[in-house]
Amino acid sequence: MNEEQLYKRLKDLLHYDPETGLFTWLQSTNRKIKLGDAAGCLGPQGYVRLRFDGKYYQAHRLAWLYMTGKWPEEFIDHKDTNKSNNKWGNLREATRSENGYNRPHQKDNELGVKGVHLHFGKYLAQITIDGKPRYLGVYKTLEEAKYAYESVTDNIQGEFAYKMENKNAAI
């Protein structure tokens, strides 16, 4: 099915509410589905996915298609990092790098601060740019190291830079 056919099929089968990010059925495709039912379920990776015509689709990618008429070129980023929040205002098209910028710290990061690690009793800040680690310095305090990391991310990553304090705001 090409992009144009998928767009038409999507519009025939489903309604997308950009305010809530939810899809509902406009047509029953089997006896379990009733008109107006919520469509989709949470998939194993935390994304909402929908199934029709024998194929699974990620809801955020379908939302992009529904609203723009075009399939996303690369990735769709969830601004608030909540993979199941498919409100239109929370979605933006992104490259692989941009999508990666907007990620929280890794689960094995004991400090809970992205780009900062404990190093011989001090705080080492570093960032990965185009797949290469870039050393930002060693600092006496966590706050200094965090500031060093965030200063660089603001300049390089722009609107895609991950900021913990921004994730609590409602979209």
Side-chain angles (χ1 to χ4, degrees):
M1 188 178 314
N2 68 31
E3 182 178 293
E4 190 176 315
Q5 291 168 326
L6 179 58
Y7 177 71
K8 183 175 179 346
R9 185 73 173 141
L10 173 64
K11 289 283 201 159
D12 287 345
L13 290 177
L14 295 156
H15 169 74
Y16 169 70
D17 182 344
E19 296 296 315
T20 64
L22 301 176
F23 282 91
T24 52
W25 290 103
L26 295 173
Q27 285 186 32
S28 178
T29 57
N30 66 46
R31 57 189 162 97
K32 293 180 183 177
I33 294 173
K34 294 177 181 50
L35 274 75
D37 279 355
C41 62
L42 211 54
Q45 295 177 335
Y47 293 101
V48 176
R49 64 183 188 169
L50 294 93
R51 184 171 188 238
F52 59 88
D53 297 339
K55 186 171 178 185
Y56 283 101
Y57 297 93
Q58 292 179 326
H60 57 282
R61 297 182 70 77
L62 288 177
W64 192 266
L65 176 63
Y66 193 97
M67 295 296 287
T68 67
K70 298 200 181 302
W71 194 250
E73 288 186 34
E74 288 189 59
F75 292 84
I76 297 298
D77 181 54
H78 292 81
K79 294 176 188 177
D80 69 356
T81 71
N82 178 348
K83 297 175 181 181
S84 64
N85 179 0
N86 293 313
K87 295 177 185 175
W88 181 243
N90 190 45
L91 304 177
R92 60 185 169 192
E93 203 163 18
T95 64
R96 177 182 293 276
S97 292
E98 290 167 337
N99 197 41
Y101 294 156
N102 189 27
R103 278 197 340 232
H105 62 84
Q106 293 182 337
K107 290 180 180 156
D108 64 352
N109 181 320
E110 298 164 358
L111 301 173
V113 177
K114 187 173 181 180
V116 180
H117 306 277
L118 202 54
H119 183 73
F120 296 107
K122 295 190 179 181
Y123 300 92
L124 178 121
Q126 73 179 40
I127 187 169
T128 302
I129 302 170
D130 296 326
K132 297 176 185 149
R134 182 171 158 197
Y135 174 78
L136 302 175
V138 176
Y139 300 89
K140 289 181 182 179
T141 68
L142 179 61
E143 290 73 27
E144 290 173 318
K146 180 181 175 187
Y147 179 79
Y149 176 83
E150 288 185 351
S151 295
V152 173
T153 61
D154 287 344
N155 292 327
I156 294 171
Q157 299 172 353
E159 69 175 296
F160 290 91
Y162 177 84
K163 294 263 199 281
M164 187 65 182
E165 56 272 11
N166 294 345
K167 302 313 165 198
N168 298 325
I171 301 286

